[in-house]
Amino acid sequence: MFHAILFYTFAAVLIGAALGVIFSKNPVHAVMLLVLAFFQSAVLWLLAEAEFLAIVLVLVYVGAVMVLFLFVVMMLDINVERVEGGFTKYAPFGLFIAALMVIELVQIIWFRSSGGARSGGFAANPEGYSNTEALGAVLYTEHVYAFEIAAVILLLAIVAAITLTMRKRPGLKQQNISRQVAVKRDDRVRLVEMDAETEQ
Amino acid sequence: MASLVPQFMVDIWDSFPPLLQFLITSTSQILIVTVGIILIVAFSTYFERKVIGAMQGRVGPNRVGPMGLLQPFADVIKLLIKEVVIPEKSNRFLFVIAPLLSLIPALATWAVIPLTDTFVIADINAGLLYVLALTSVGVYGVILAGWATNSKYAFLGAMRSAAQIVAYEIAMGFALVGVLMAAGSLNLGDITRAQAGGVSSWFVWPLLPLFVVYFISAVAETNRAPFDVAEGESEIVAGFHVEYSGVAFALFFLAEYANMVLISALTAIFFLGGWASPFEGWTFLGDDNLLRQPSLIWLFAKVCFFMFTLFWLRATFPRYRYDQIMRLGWKVFIPVTIIWIAVEGVMAWLRIGPWQGLAG
C-alpha cells in the first residue's frame, strides 16, 4: 500500500517532468526538468530494490552527462520564437520517433503477457542481498566478453572524439607547460654583486 | 534507558505503530546530525579566521563574546537581516533555487556517513556510490547561480567551476576505486571496519598516492584556495555569487563550509580509519583504556585536522592558474590513480598489506 503510493507519486512527477522537458520554452528549464526526471526514475529503481542502478543513474546522467548538456545549452543564445517555429517543422520526425517507441513498448508488453518472460511485480530480495555484488558477479563472469567489448568500444569513441577536436590552427600561440614548469630561478633572475651607490 | 525514562512514556512509545516509530527516530536522528553540522560549520568559520590570523601574525576575531567565540552568530544575524537583492534581468526562480541546490547535497551526504561504530542514519550497501553521486550533484548550484544571475562575471565563474569539478571528479572517483578494492565493500561502515587495528593498518599507507590525489581533488571540488578560480576575486570579482546578498549568500557560504567538513570526514573515513582510535593496536595500554576505544571524538579530531590543513593551504599558496589546474587534474592525477590501481592489483595478488587476510 505504502509502496504503491510512493510508486504512483514518483511516477506522476516523472511524467510531469518529462512533459515539461518537451513543452518548456526555456532550454535551461528543460534541462533542469530532465534532471528532475532522472531523479524520479532513480527513485523508481530504488523502489524496485535496484539501488546500484539507481545511484549509477544519478552519478552518470545527473552528475556528468547533464552537467555537460547544461554547459552547452547555456552557451547557446537561443531565440525563443525561432524555436516555436521549429516545433511544427520537426513534428513529423518527432511523431515518427514517438510511434516507434510506442510500437516497441507494445511489443514488450505483448511478449510479457503471452508468457515469454517472467511477469508480475518485482520479487522482494532476501535480507542481506547486495545488488552491487550480484551485478558485479554476473558482469565479470558470464558476460565478461560483452563487458570488455563495450569498454573497448567506449575507449575507441573517446579516442575518436579527441582526435576530431585536436585541430591545430596555424600560427596559434600556445604556452609550453612543461617548459614553464621546469623554469628555475636562474633562468629568470640574475643576481648582481655591486657596491652600494651613495648620492653625491 | 529504561531507568532514565518513566514507564508511561515507554508505554506510549510502544503503542505507536512501527512506521510512526521509525519516522520519529529517523527524523530526530536527521535533525541532530544536521544541527550538529550547521554548528560545526558556524564554528569552522571562526576557526578559519583564527588560524589564518595566527599564520599572518594577526589576532583574528576577538570582539564578540569571550575570545570572539560568538563571532559566527553575529555574522549569521548580520546576514539574516540584510536585504536579498534579486537582479531585475535574472532568471528569478533559478536564482533563488541555486543556493539551495548547492547546500542540499552537502547535507544529504551525511545520511550514509558512520559517525560511530553503531550510529549511521542510513546503513546502505552502496554508500560510497551514493557519496560520489551526491557530490557530483553539488555542481548544479554553482552553474545555475552563474547562469541565472545574467552577468558575465558570474557566468565565467560558473563555467570555470563546472569544468574544474567535472575534471577532478574523475580523479576522485578513481581514488575511491582504490579504497573499495582495499576494503572489498562499498559500505562506509565496512570500509572503516576494514581499517581496524590502529595507525599501521589505515589505508593511508598502502594507498598513499591515492590519499594525496583524493585530498587535493577534494580541495578542488570544494572550490577552496588554491583552486578557487570560480570566485577569483582579482579577476572576476566573486564569480558565481557576485550578485548574491543576505541569506542567499549565507547559503552559498554555508554550502562551501559544509562541503569542507564533509570532505574532511570522508577523507578520515576512507583513509584514516574514521571513528577508530589510532592506538587500537597498543595492547600495553590495557584492554579497557579509553585511548584504545573507538569513538566519535577520534572522527572529530581527524575532521579538525583536515579542516586545519585546508585553512593552512589557503594561507600558504597563491591561486593556481586555470590551465595549470586542468593540466594537474587530467594529466597528473588521473594517470597517477590509474597506475596505483594497477599496483594495488599486484599487491592484492601477492597478498601484501590490507589484502593479507584475503581468501582464495
Side-chain angles (χ1 to χ4, degrees), chain A residues 26 28-29 32 35 39 51-52 55 58-59 62-63 66-67 70-71 74-75 129-130 132 175 177 180-181, chain B residues 91 94 125-126 129-130 132-133 136-137 139-140 143-144 147 155 159 162-163 166 169 186 321 323-324 327:
Chain A
N26 188 329
V28 174
H29 288 180
M32 289 317 289
V35 168
F39 263 109
E51 78 270 1
F52 180 79
I55 296 175
V58 173
L59 179 62
V62 177
M66 294 316 288
V67 172
L70 203 57
F71 227 80
M74 283 175 175
M75 299 275 210
Y129 171 84
S130 170
T132 320
Q175 289 140 333
I177 303 277
Q180 283 189 339
V181 173
Chain B
N91 190 318
L94 291 180
N125 278 330
L129 278 174
Y130 175 85
L132 269 179
S136 63
V137 169
V139 64
Y140 280 98
I143 304 186
L144 282 180
W147 184 80
F155 191 59
M159 287 290 132
V166 170
E169 218 169 69
L186 284 170
R321 210 176 65 200
D323 61 322
Q324 289 180 343
R327 179 176 171 272

Side-chain angles (χ1 to χ4, degrees), chain B residues 30-191:
Chain B
I30 292 169
L31 268 180
I32 291 168
V33 170
T34 314
V35 170
I37 298 305
I38 290 176
L39 276 179
I40 290 175
V41 164
F43 279 102
S44 65
T45 59
Y46 169 79
F47 183 35
E48 169 167 39
R49 291 167 72 178
K50 276 288 184 193
V51 167
I52 293 186
M55 286 182 182
Q56 296 171 345
R58 300 182 279 115
V59 270
N62 66 345
R63 286 282 169 254
V64 193
M67 287 159 41
L69 268 172
L70 295 178
Q71 184 69 41
F73 299 103
D75 288 341
V76 167
I77 292 167
K78 184 197 84 173
L79 283 168
L80 280 177
I81 58 177
K82 274 177 118 177
E83 185 189 356
V84 179
V85 182
I86 299 181
E88 202 177 314
K89 297 272 181 168
S90 67
N91 190 318
R92 211 184 160 83
F93 176 69
L94 291 180
F95 186 84
V96 173
I97 208 172
L100 296 175
L101 281 182
S102 64
L103 179 62
I104 290 167
L107 292 179
T109 316
W110 285 92
V112 296
I113 296 199
L115 296 177
T116 67
D117 200 359
T118 47
F119 183 83
V120 47
I121 296 174
D123 193 16
I124 63 172
N125 278 330
L128 194 140
L129 278 174
Y130 175 85
V131 167
L132 269 179
L134 276 190
T135 44
S136 63
V137 169
V139 64
Y140 280 98
V142 175
I143 304 186
L144 282 180
W147 184 80
T149 307
N150 201 4
S151 144
K152 290 282 184 291
Y153 289 131
F155 191 59
L156 277 173
M159 287 290 132
R160 285 176 173 201
S161 160
Q164 175 180 324
I165 290 180
V166 170
Y168 279 84
E169 218 169 69
I170 300 171
M172 239 174 141
F174 270 125
L176 293 186
V177 168
V179 172
L180 73 92
M181 269 175 79
S185 172
L186 284 170
N187 182 307
L188 297 191
D190 289 343
I191 290 175

Side-chain angles (χ1 to χ4, degrees), chain A residues 183-195:
Chain A
V183 156
K184 296 273 181 303
R185 190 193 65 185
D186 298 337
D187 303 337
R188 294 276 192 269
V189 187
R190 188 164 51 94
L191 284 182
V192 185
E193 291 264 350
M194 60 184 285
D195 297 328

